Amino acid sequence: MTTYYRNEQAAKDQSALMPVRSQDVDEGYRLVGPGGALTAVVEHVQWVDNHPAGPDTHVVVSFEDGSDVEFPFDVPLTVVWHDERRPVLRPGLAAVAPASWGRPLGR
């Protein structure tokens, strides 16, 4: 998910929000959750091998606050780096809030 730019200004002009699919979420990012709220930082991502729907069909995202959410593959999500310096405004977050969210799991 990293992009490199030769022009520093071009990098600064890019949006801090990045679209991803649920199976492509990486550690160190925060997800834009329902209602446009940012989640805690993603601590771990695990593809579920023994899911009833079959292997490589679901992913469990674990957050630093101790919560876990299970997503089916190909759910469109939006992420932002946990230490992002570019401004991320509340209206921008609400605009990219996901239409569907995963299933919360208990640890």
XYZ file of all heavy atoms in Angstrom:
831
model
N 0.810 -1.184 0.000
C 0.000 0.000 0.000
C 0.857 1.254 0.000
O 0.341 2.335 -0.005
C -0.934 0.022 1.195
C -2.017 -1.016 1.084
S -3.397 -0.965 2.235
C -2.796 -0.232 3.696
N 2.151 1.130 -0.010
C 3.025 2.281 0.006
C 3.258 2.777 -1.405
O 3.492 1.993 -2.311
C 4.377 1.926 0.652
O 4.136 1.432 1.964
C 5.289 3.117 0.705
N 3.183 4.091 -1.576
C 3.471 4.725 -2.854
C 4.594 5.713 -2.636
O 4.588 6.456 -1.657
C 2.223 5.454 -3.388
O 1.152 4.524 -3.440
C 2.476 6.030 -4.754
N 5.543 5.738 -3.545
C 6.666 6.645 -3.439
C 6.559 7.726 -4.498
O 6.150 7.468 -5.626
C 7.986 5.883 -3.608
C 8.200 4.867 -2.514
C 7.863 3.530 -2.696
C 8.707 5.258 -1.283
C 8.037 2.608 -1.681
C 8.886 4.334 -0.264
C 8.553 3.017 -0.475
O 8.722 2.114 0.527
N 6.913 8.953 -4.139
C 6.840 10.087 -5.044
C 8.197 10.764 -5.123
O 8.872 10.925 -4.120
C 5.811 11.113 -4.546
C 4.399 10.602 -4.587
C 3.854 9.921 -3.505
C 3.625 10.778 -5.717
C 2.554 9.445 -3.548
C 2.321 10.307 -5.765
C 1.797 9.644 -4.683
O 0.520 9.169 -4.729
N 8.562 11.193 -6.325
C 9.780 11.986 -6.489
C 9.518 13.430 -6.100
O 10.414 14.136 -5.688
C 10.267 11.920 -7.929
C 10.784 10.564 -8.319
C 11.189 10.569 -9.787
N 11.494 9.235 -10.208
C 12.724 8.786 -10.416
N 13.750 9.579 -10.243
N 12.932 7.550 -10.784
N 8.273 13.857 -6.249
C 7.892 15.226 -5.956
C 7.218 15.260 -4.588
O 6.136 14.715 -4.404
C 6.931 15.713 -7.058
C 6.461 17.124 -6.848
O 6.498 17.644 -5.736
N 6.002 17.742 -7.922
N 7.851 15.913 -3.638
C 7.320 15.946 -2.278
C 5.951 16.624 -2.219
O 5.079 16.206 -1.471
C 8.301 16.675 -1.362
C 7.902 16.643 0.086
C 8.937 17.295 0.979
O 10.093 17.402 0.584
O 8.555 17.687 2.086
N 5.746 17.666 -3.012
C 4.463 18.357 -3.005
C 3.350 17.438 -3.518
O 2.239 17.464 -3.011
C 4.511 19.639 -3.851
C 3.269 20.492 -3.725
C 3.003 20.924 -2.275
O 3.911 21.338 -1.566
N 1.765 20.804 -1.847
N 3.647 16.616 -4.513
C 2.646 15.674 -5.029
C 2.219 14.705 -3.931
O 1.043 14.357 -3.826
C 3.193 14.913 -6.226
N 3.150 14.291 -3.097
C 2.831 13.392 -1.990
C 1.939 14.093 -0.968
O 0.996 13.504 -0.450
C 4.103 12.891 -1.330
N 2.219 15.344 -0.686
C 1.417 16.086 0.287
C 0.013 16.363 -0.221
O -0.906 16.523 0.563
C 2.116 17.396 0.633
C 3.366 17.206 1.451
C 4.030 18.526 1.750
C 5.305 18.316 2.542
N 6.014 19.566 2.794
N -0.154 16.440 -1.536
C -1.459 16.731 -2.118
C -2.372 15.514 -2.170
O -3.563 15.650 -2.415
C -1.301 17.299 -3.536
C -0.702 18.696 -3.519
O -0.732 19.358 -2.458
O -0.186 19.123 -4.574
N -1.833 14.321 -1.948
C -2.645 13.102 -1.969
C -3.511 13.034 -0.719
O -3.140 13.512 0.348
C -1.744 11.860 -2.027
C -0.908 11.765 -3.276
C -1.762 11.592 -4.509
O -2.677 10.796 -4.542
N -1.455 12.362 -5.538
N -4.653 12.400 -0.841
C -5.539 12.225 0.301
C -4.896 11.264 1.308
O -4.228 10.304 0.924
C -6.879 11.652 -0.154
O -7.674 11.332 0.959
N -5.126 11.531 2.579
C -4.624 10.637 3.621
C -5.451 9.355 3.688
O -5.004 8.351 4.221
C -4.670 11.346 4.965
N -6.656 9.391 3.139
C -7.550 8.240 3.155
C -7.276 7.353 1.948
O -7.177 7.838 0.830
C -9.003 8.708 3.136
C -9.405 9.603 4.305
C -10.780 10.185 4.069
C -9.356 8.835 5.602
N -7.152 6.057 2.181
C -6.862 5.117 1.100
C -7.903 4.011 1.073
O -8.167 3.393 2.111
C -5.474 4.503 1.290
C -4.363 5.516 1.222
S -2.731 4.787 1.371
C -2.822 3.975 2.941
N -8.475 3.731 -0.093
C -9.421 2.618 -0.193
C -8.683 1.285 -0.245
O -7.628 1.172 -0.875
C -10.154 2.889 -1.510
C -9.180 3.679 -2.320
C -8.351 4.470 -1.342
N -9.206 0.290 0.455
C -8.651 -1.074 0.436
C -9.802 -2.073 0.508
O -10.928 -1.711 0.840
C -7.676 -1.345 1.609
C -6.461 -0.461 1.560
C -8.369 -1.237 2.937
N -9.505 -3.308 0.226
C -10.449 -4.406 0.437
C -10.120 -5.034 1.782
O -8.982 -4.961 2.265
C -10.333 -5.456 -0.674
C -10.708 -4.937 -2.037
C -12.183 -4.760 -2.091
N -12.603 -4.279 -3.400
C -13.839 -4.010 -3.680
N -14.775 -4.174 -2.771
N -14.184 -3.569 -4.862
N -11.085 -5.658 2.399
C -10.902 -6.189 3.750
C -9.695 -7.118 3.864
O -8.983 -7.090 4.862
C -12.166 -6.907 4.210
O -12.576 -7.866 3.263
N -9.424 -7.920 2.850
C -8.303 -8.851 2.927
C -6.950 -8.153 2.749
O -5.914 -8.761 2.951
C -8.452 -9.993 1.910
C -8.349 -9.574 0.476
C -9.687 -9.227 -0.154
O -10.636 -8.877 0.529
N -9.766 -9.322 -1.462
N -6.956 -6.868 2.394
C -5.710 -6.136 2.172
C -5.380 -5.149 3.286
O -4.443 -4.359 3.158
C -5.782 -5.386 0.836
C -5.945 -6.338 -0.336
O -5.359 -7.440 -0.301
O -6.669 -5.994 -1.289
N -6.122 -5.169 4.382
C -5.855 -4.275 5.513
C -4.510 -4.663 6.122
O -4.176 -5.840 6.234
C -6.989 -4.383 6.566
C -6.620 -3.643 7.839
C -8.288 -3.862 5.986
N -3.714 -3.656 6.513
C -2.400 -3.896 7.106
C -2.338 -3.355 8.529
O -3.078 -2.447 8.898
C -1.305 -3.198 6.294
C -0.903 -3.977 5.063
O -1.021 -5.217 5.062
O -0.444 -3.336 4.094
N -1.390 -3.893 9.298
C -1.145 -3.412 10.647
C -0.663 -1.967 10.586
O 0.010 -1.566 9.644
C -0.091 -4.275 11.352
C -0.572 -5.660 11.709
C -0.355 -6.690 10.605
O 0.160 -6.331 9.531
O -0.710 -7.857 10.824
N -0.984 -1.197 11.618
C -0.521 0.179 11.708
C -1.499 1.190 11.136
O -1.313 2.388 11.301
N -2.546 0.717 10.501
C -3.554 1.617 9.947
C -4.755 1.663 10.869
O -4.945 0.813 11.729
C -3.999 1.146 8.553
C -2.972 1.440 7.491
C -1.959 0.537 7.211
C -3.010 2.628 6.770
C -1.002 0.808 6.250
C -2.067 2.910 5.798
C -1.063 1.991 5.540
O -0.124 2.273 4.589
N -5.579 2.692 10.696
C -6.866 2.797 11.365
C -7.934 2.707 10.286
O -7.746 3.227 9.188
C -6.976 4.117 12.112
C -5.930 4.232 13.220
C -5.957 5.568 13.867
N -7.116 5.622 14.758
C -7.428 6.689 15.485
N -6.697 7.773 15.428
N -8.482 6.663 16.259
N -9.027 2.037 10.571
C -10.127 1.925 9.621
C -11.139 3.033 9.873
O -11.334 3.450 11.010
C -10.841 0.584 9.769
C -10.023 -0.688 9.598
C -10.914 -1.905 9.817
C -9.395 -0.740 8.238
N -11.771 3.468 8.799
C -12.918 4.357 8.954
C -14.111 3.442 9.188
O -14.446 2.620 8.339
C -13.131 5.236 7.708
C -14.367 6.100 7.882
C -11.901 6.091 7.437
N -14.707 3.554 10.351
C -15.805 2.671 10.716
C -17.157 3.265 10.377
O -17.246 4.336 9.770
N -18.206 2.587 10.777
C -19.551 3.090 10.528
C -19.743 4.470 11.161
O -19.258 4.733 12.250
C -20.450 2.059 11.214
C -19.621 0.829 11.321
C -18.206 1.304 11.467
N -20.421 5.323 10.450
C -20.653 6.670 10.958
C -19.462 7.593 10.786
O -19.502 8.739 11.208
N -18.364 7.112 10.223
C -17.199 7.955 9.992
C -16.241 8.063 11.150
O -15.347 8.896 11.146
N -16.393 7.210 12.165
C -15.460 7.221 13.300
C -14.241 6.375 12.967
O -14.357 5.343 12.309
C -16.145 6.677 14.538
N -13.069 6.801 13.425
C -11.853 6.012 13.229
C -11.756 4.938 14.311
O -12.049 5.190 15.472
C -10.616 6.901 13.289
C -10.395 7.817 12.095
C -9.202 8.728 12.346
C -10.194 7.022 10.828
N -11.341 3.761 13.911
C -11.135 2.669 14.855
C -9.808 2.856 15.569
O -9.018 3.740 15.230
C -11.106 1.312 14.136
O -9.957 1.285 13.264
C -12.372 1.070 13.349
N -9.545 1.997 16.517
C -8.211 1.920 17.109
C -7.250 1.408 16.030
O -7.674 0.940 14.978
C -8.227 0.979 18.308
N -5.977 1.482 16.289
C -4.959 1.040 15.332
C -5.043 -0.477 15.144
O -5.215 -1.220 16.116
C -3.553 1.445 15.813
C -2.477 0.929 14.878
C -3.456 2.948 15.969
N -4.921 -0.914 13.901
C -4.931 -2.344 13.595
C -3.642 -2.953 14.132
O -2.546 -2.522 13.799
C -5.058 -2.593 12.076
C -4.910 -4.072 11.750
C -6.378 -2.049 11.547
N -3.796 -3.956 14.980
C -2.657 -4.625 15.603
C -2.258 -5.888 14.850
O -1.080 -6.228 14.757
C -3.034 -4.969 17.043
C -1.941 -5.588 17.848
C -2.409 -5.834 19.276
O -3.268 -6.721 19.478
O -1.938 -5.123 20.168
N -3.268 -6.603 14.318
C -2.990 -7.885 13.668
C -4.116 -8.202 12.690
O -5.275 -7.885 12.938
C -2.900 -8.993 14.721
C -2.514 -10.315 14.174
N -1.253 -10.602 13.738
C -3.239 -11.443 13.966
C -1.213 -11.856 13.296
N -2.411 -12.381 13.423
N -3.758 -8.840 11.576
C -4.741 -9.277 10.586
C -4.509 -10.756 10.321
O -3.381 -11.169 10.040
C -4.613 -8.470 9.270
C -5.629 -8.941 8.258
C -4.765 -6.985 9.542
N -5.554 -11.555 10.450
C -5.439 -13.006 10.279
C -6.481 -13.507 9.293
O -7.668 -13.290 9.488
C -5.647 -13.699 11.631
C -5.631 -15.203 11.565
C -4.263 -15.757 11.243
O -3.283 -15.339 11.830
N -4.199 -16.665 10.302
N -6.036 -14.161 8.231
C -6.975 -14.820 7.331
C -7.477 -16.077 8.025
O -6.697 -16.817 8.629
C -6.297 -15.167 6.020
C -6.045 -13.990 5.131
C -5.970 -12.672 5.496
C -5.828 -14.019 3.733
N -5.717 -11.890 4.412
C -5.623 -12.693 3.307
C -5.785 -15.026 2.794
C -5.381 -12.357 1.979
C -5.541 -14.698 1.467
C -5.353 -13.384 1.072
N -8.768 -16.336 7.952
C -9.384 -17.462 8.651
C -9.351 -18.688 7.747
O -9.988 -18.710 6.699
C -10.837 -17.121 9.068
C -11.459 -18.279 9.818
C -10.863 -15.855 9.904
N -8.600 -19.710 8.160
C -8.462 -20.928 7.357
C -9.615 -21.901 7.556
O -9.993 -22.610 6.646
C -7.154 -21.654 7.704
C -5.936 -20.864 7.258
O -6.031 -20.131 6.262
O -4.897 -20.987 7.923
N -10.169 -21.942 8.760
C -11.192 -22.945 9.061
C -12.593 -22.336 9.146
O -13.414 -22.764 9.942
C -10.852 -23.684 10.354
C -10.732 -22.732 11.529
O -10.770 -21.511 11.355
N -10.582 -23.266 12.721
N -12.878 -21.350 8.323
C -14.200 -20.713 8.329
C -15.214 -21.633 7.652
O -14.875 -22.330 6.689
C -14.136 -19.363 7.609
C -15.324 -18.514 7.889
N -16.488 -18.614 7.181
C -15.531 -17.563 8.824
C -17.365 -17.754 7.652
N -16.804 -17.094 8.654
N -16.470 -21.673 8.132
C -17.490 -22.520 7.497
C -17.708 -22.223 6.012
O -18.092 -23.111 5.252
C -18.762 -22.209 8.298
C -18.279 -21.706 9.607
C -16.973 -21.033 9.341
N -17.441 -20.997 5.589
C -17.601 -20.646 4.168
C -16.413 -21.118 3.335
O -16.433 -21.006 2.122
C -17.784 -19.141 4.014
N -15.383 -21.619 4.006
C -14.205 -22.108 3.296
C -12.970 -21.288 3.623
O -13.073 -20.189 4.160
N -11.789 -21.839 3.300
C -10.548 -21.110 3.577
C -10.426 -19.890 2.666
O -10.961 -19.869 1.566
C -9.454 -22.136 3.285
C -10.091 -23.105 2.351
C -11.548 -23.129 2.679
N -9.722 -18.883 3.171
C -9.458 -17.650 2.410
C -10.736 -16.971 1.945
O -10.849 -16.515 0.801
C -8.529 -17.932 1.223
C -7.177 -18.438 1.666
O -6.793 -18.196 2.823
O -6.501 -19.094 0.863
N -11.728 -16.914 2.831
C -12.969 -16.212 2.516
C -13.271 -15.121 3.536
O -14.095 -14.255 3.277
C -14.173 -17.173 2.496
O -14.298 -17.788 3.775
C -14.030 -18.213 1.408
N -12.591 -15.171 4.699
C -12.826 -14.209 5.768
C -11.504 -13.803 6.409
O -10.531 -14.558 6.367
C -13.749 -14.796 6.840
C -15.159 -14.907 6.386
N -15.585 -15.826 5.464
C -16.249 -14.186 6.729
C -16.869 -15.684 5.244
N -17.302 -14.690 6.012
N -11.500 -12.623 7.013
C -10.318 -12.104 7.683
C -10.756 -11.528 9.024
O -11.833 -10.948 9.135
C -9.605 -11.039 6.814
C -10.491 -9.845 6.558
C -8.301 -10.595 7.421
N -9.936 -11.738 10.058
C -10.197 -11.161 11.375
C -9.173 -10.053 11.598
O -7.963 -10.278 11.517
C -10.104 -12.217 12.498
C -10.214 -11.548 13.871
C -11.179 -13.259 12.329
N -9.681 -8.863 11.856
C -8.841 -7.698 12.126
C -8.875 -7.450 13.629
O -9.951 -7.280 14.211
C -9.351 -6.460 11.355
C -8.497 -5.239 11.672
C -9.374 -6.726 9.858
N -7.692 -7.459 14.260
C -7.575 -7.217 15.696
C -7.028 -5.815 15.915
O -6.071 -5.405 15.251
C -6.631 -8.230 16.336
O -7.117 -9.542 16.130
N -7.626 -5.099 16.845
C -7.252 -3.715 17.120
C -6.538 -3.607 18.459
O -6.680 -4.472 19.322
C -8.513 -2.835 17.129
C -9.251 -2.846 15.820
C -10.318 -3.700 15.619
C -8.866 -2.010 14.788
C -11.000 -3.713 14.417
C -9.540 -2.020 13.576
C -10.614 -2.871 13.391
N -5.787 -2.514 18.640
C -5.022 -2.313 19.865
C -5.896 -2.179 21.105
O -5.427 -2.395 22.210
C -4.123 -1.084 19.736
C -2.923 -1.323 18.850
C -1.980 -0.141 18.800
O -2.371 0.978 19.193
O -0.846 -0.340 18.353
N -7.172 -1.836 20.925
C -8.056 -1.706 22.086
C -8.617 -3.052 22.547
O -9.424 -3.124 23.457
C -9.190 -0.729 21.797
C -10.153 -1.212 20.716
O -9.932 -2.301 20.142
O -11.116 -0.487 20.424
N -8.187 -4.140 21.897
C -8.618 -5.472 22.292
C -9.819 -5.998 21.531
O -10.234 -7.130 21.742
N -10.388 -5.207 20.646
C -11.549 -5.674 19.883
C -11.102 -6.384 18.603
O -10.009 -6.153 18.096
C -12.476 -4.500 19.546
O -11.806 -3.564 18.727
N -11.961 -7.273 18.125
C -11.734 -8.017 16.893
C -12.982 -7.904 16.034
O -14.097 -7.961 16.554
C -11.488 -9.504 17.173
C -10.268 -9.749 18.026
O -9.203 -9.184 17.714
O -10.367 -10.506 19.005
N -12.783 -7.780 14.720
C -13.903 -7.745 13.788
C -13.599 -8.710 12.652
O -12.502 -8.694 12.094
C -14.139 -6.323 13.230
C -15.294 -6.312 12.244
C -14.403 -5.336 14.355
N -14.575 -9.560 12.330
C -14.428 -10.507 11.219
C -15.130 -9.937 9.992
O -16.296 -9.556 10.051
C -15.060 -11.843 11.588
C -14.949 -12.874 10.474
C -15.655 -14.162 10.835
O -15.326 -14.739 11.888
O -16.534 -14.571 10.058
N -14.388 -9.869 8.891
C -14.920 -9.379 7.623
C -14.874 -10.483 6.582
O -13.891 -11.228 6.514
C -14.071 -8.229 7.072
C -14.115 -6.971 7.884
C -13.133 -6.697 8.815
C -15.126 -6.049 7.691
C -13.157 -5.525 9.552
C -15.164 -4.877 8.427
C -14.175 -4.613 9.363
N -15.890 -10.571 5.727
C -15.735 -11.415 4.543
C -14.749 -10.735 3.593
O -14.516 -9.528 3.688
C -17.138 -11.475 3.936
C -17.954 -10.479 4.650
C -17.202 -9.988 5.844
N -14.167 -11.487 2.701
C -13.271 -10.902 1.704
C -14.054 -9.920 0.824
O -15.262 -10.034 0.650
C -12.684 -11.993 0.816
C -11.410 -12.597 1.359
C -11.072 -12.527 2.686
C -10.551 -13.261 0.510
C -9.899 -13.103 3.173
C -9.384 -13.841 0.972
C -9.052 -13.755 2.309
N -13.343 -8.985 0.256
C -13.830 -8.011 -0.728
C -14.790 -6.972 -0.179
O -15.497 -6.327 -0.951
C -14.444 -8.710 -1.949
C -13.390 -9.463 -2.747
O -12.250 -8.959 -2.837
O -13.695 -10.546 -3.261
N -14.809 -6.748 1.127
C -15.584 -5.638 1.675
C -14.765 -4.371 1.452
O -13.609 -4.296 1.869
C -15.864 -5.838 3.184
C -16.508 -4.597 3.787
C -16.712 -7.059 3.411
N -15.328 -3.360 0.782
C -14.571 -2.119 0.576
C -14.477 -1.326 1.881
O -15.486 -1.065 2.533
C -15.377 -1.373 -0.485
C -16.724 -1.982 -0.485
C -16.610 -3.355 0.105
N -13.260 -0.987 2.261
C -12.990 -0.215 3.468
C -12.078 0.953 3.120
O -11.491 0.993 2.043
C -12.322 -1.092 4.528
C -13.112 -2.299 5.021
C -12.225 -3.206 5.855
C -14.318 -1.838 5.821
N -11.934 1.869 4.060
C -11.010 2.990 3.896
C -10.105 3.019 5.111
O -10.571 2.853 6.242
C -11.785 4.317 3.770
O -12.691 4.212 2.676
C -10.841 5.469 3.512
N -8.809 3.220 4.868
C -7.830 3.247 5.958
C -7.072 4.567 5.957
O -7.011 5.276 4.954
C -6.823 2.078 5.852
C -7.500 0.738 5.977
C -6.008 2.151 4.578
N -6.494 4.879 7.108
C -5.608 6.029 7.264
C -4.476 5.575 8.182
O -4.693 4.814 9.134
C -6.360 7.262 7.825
C -6.926 6.991 9.195
C -5.478 8.491 7.832
N -3.251 6.002 7.893
C -2.101 5.636 8.702
C -2.275 6.183 10.109
O -2.766 7.292 10.295
C -0.817 6.143 8.061
C 0.416 5.747 8.796
C 1.294 6.575 9.426
C 0.914 4.417 8.998
N 2.306 5.847 10.014
C 2.090 4.511 9.760
C 0.470 3.163 8.615
C 2.824 3.401 10.149
C 1.214 2.061 9.003
C 2.382 2.183 9.753
N -1.877 5.421 11.123
C -2.110 5.805 12.517
C -1.450 7.125 12.901
O -1.914 7.832 13.783
C -1.658 4.693 13.473
C -0.173 4.611 13.639
N 0.630 3.972 12.725
C 0.640 5.105 14.589
C 1.892 4.060 13.119
N 1.924 4.740 14.238
N -0.355 7.481 12.249
C 0.398 8.686 12.588
C 0.339 9.694 11.434
O 1.304 10.400 11.186
C 1.842 8.303 12.919
C 2.611 9.424 13.584
O 1.980 10.262 14.250
O 3.845 9.469 13.428
N -0.782 9.752 10.757
C -0.930 10.621 9.595
C -0.803 12.087 9.991
O -1.412 12.529 10.955
C -2.294 10.379 8.930
C -2.523 11.203 7.704
C -1.478 10.974 6.630
O -1.286 9.821 6.219
O -0.837 11.964 6.219
N 0.010 12.821 9.238
C 0.227 14.247 9.512
C -0.712 15.139 8.696
O -0.966 16.263 9.086
C 1.669 14.625 9.195
C 2.688 13.774 9.909
C 3.082 14.382 11.227
N 4.187 13.627 11.797
C 4.199 13.196 13.022
N 3.207 13.421 13.808
N 5.227 12.518 13.485
N -1.186 14.631 7.558
C -2.106 15.421 6.749
C -3.468 15.453 7.431
O -3.867 14.481 8.055
C -2.249 14.818 5.345
C -0.958 14.905 4.543
C -1.068 14.125 3.263
N -0.996 12.693 3.602
C -1.055 11.725 2.722
N -1.237 11.986 1.445
N -0.971 10.458 3.094
N -4.184 16.560 7.319
C -5.480 16.648 8.006
C -6.516 15.699 7.408
O -6.587 15.520 6.203
C -5.892 18.107 7.804
C -5.130 18.570 6.619
C -3.858 17.770 6.594
N -7.270 15.072 8.280
C -8.391 14.224 7.879
C -9.617 14.827 8.555
O -9.767 14.719 9.765
C -8.184 12.759 8.323
C -9.370 11.913 7.921
C -6.894 12.200 7.755
N -10.454 15.486 7.770
C -11.595 16.202 8.318
C -12.799 15.283 8.505
O -12.992 14.328 7.756
C -11.956 17.378 7.405
C -10.804 18.351 7.149
C -11.236 19.410 6.155
C -10.333 18.987 8.440
N -13.600 15.572 9.495
C -14.778 14.770 9.827
C -15.730 14.575 8.640
O -16.188 13.452 8.425
C -15.506 15.442 11.006
C -16.614 14.629 11.562
C -16.059 13.609 12.528
N -17.165 12.896 13.141
C -17.099 11.637 13.462
N -16.006 10.957 13.259
N -18.119 11.040 14.005
N -16.029 15.608 7.836
C -16.903 15.371 6.673
C -16.297 14.381 5.681
O -17.017 13.596 5.058
C -17.061 16.749 6.042
C -16.775 17.713 7.137
C -15.756 17.035 8.011
N -14.992 14.392 5.543
C -14.327 13.435 4.661
C -14.455 12.009 5.165
O -14.618 11.072 4.387
N -14.384 11.840 6.476
C -14.542 10.508 7.063
C -15.969 9.998 6.885
O -16.176 8.835 6.543
C -14.185 10.536 8.550
C -12.717 10.777 8.887
C -12.543 10.936 10.390
C -11.858 9.661 8.363
N -16.942 10.865 7.096
C -18.342 10.454 6.944
C -18.638 10.060 5.504
O -19.411 9.135 5.248
C -19.269 11.576 7.394
N -17.999 10.720 4.555
C -18.239 10.427 3.136
C -17.715 9.053 2.734
O -18.233 8.451 1.799
C -17.601 11.502 2.266
N -16.698 8.551 3.424
C -16.113 7.254 3.059
C -16.469 6.157 4.067
O -15.895 5.076 4.020
C -14.573 7.342 2.897
C -14.201 8.271 1.766
C -13.899 7.756 4.200
N -17.404 6.431 4.956
C -17.834 5.418 5.921
C -18.368 4.203 5.160
O -19.053 4.349 4.149
C -18.911 5.983 6.840
N -18.038 3.007 5.620
C -18.440 1.801 4.882
C -19.946 1.553 4.918
O -20.612 1.844 5.915
C -17.697 0.682 5.606
C -17.480 1.201 6.981
C -17.309 2.693 6.845
N -20.440 1.011 3.820
C -21.855 0.655 3.743
C -22.143 -0.588 4.576
O -23.231 -0.768 5.095
C -22.252 0.422 2.288
N -21.152 -1.477 4.681
C -21.314 -2.677 5.509
C -20.087 -2.823 6.399
O -18.999 -2.374 6.048
C -21.488 -3.914 4.629
O -20.350 -4.129 3.845
N -20.285 -3.434 7.542
C -19.215 -3.611 8.523
C -19.171 -5.072 8.902
O -20.133 -5.802 8.723
C -19.483 -2.730 9.738
C -18.342 -2.632 10.704
C -18.308 -3.120 11.976
C -17.084 -1.991 10.499
N -17.110 -2.830 12.584
C -16.337 -2.141 11.686
C -16.496 -1.328 9.430
C -15.046 -1.638 11.827
C -15.215 -0.834 9.571
C -14.502 -0.989 10.761
N -18.068 -5.493 9.424
C -17.900 -6.890 9.810
C -18.647 -7.243 11.081
O -19.368 -6.443 11.652
N -18.404 -8.459 11.532
C -19.053 -8.998 12.732
C -18.077 -8.902 13.891
O -16.994 -9.501 13.873
C -19.422 -10.460 12.469
C -20.118 -11.151 13.613
C -20.563 -12.544 13.213
N -19.441 -13.419 12.879
C -18.913 -14.313 13.709
N -19.399 -14.456 14.915
N -17.902 -15.069 13.326
N -18.427 -8.131 14.956
C -17.546 -8.027 16.127
C -17.388 -9.405 16.796
O -18.339 -10.169 16.904
C -18.252 -7.051 17.047
C -19.220 -6.327 16.177
C -19.597 -7.279 15.088
N -16.171 -9.693 17.246
C -15.864 -10.939 17.955
C -15.352 -10.601 19.336
O -14.756 -9.551 19.547
C -14.790 -11.735 17.215
C -15.074 -12.129 15.773
C -13.842 -12.783 15.164
C -16.247 -13.070 15.704
N -15.539 -11.485 20.284
C -14.961 -11.325 21.609
C -13.628 -12.042 21.682
O -13.444 -13.062 21.040
N -12.691 -11.504 22.426
C -11.373 -12.149 22.554
C -11.414 -13.261 23.548
O -11.902 -13.270 24.574
C -10.309 -11.146 22.956
C -9.750 -10.446 21.754
C -8.385 -9.890 22.072
N -7.913 -9.225 20.865
C -6.806 -8.562 20.778
N -6.040 -8.428 21.812
N -6.426 -8.002 19.673
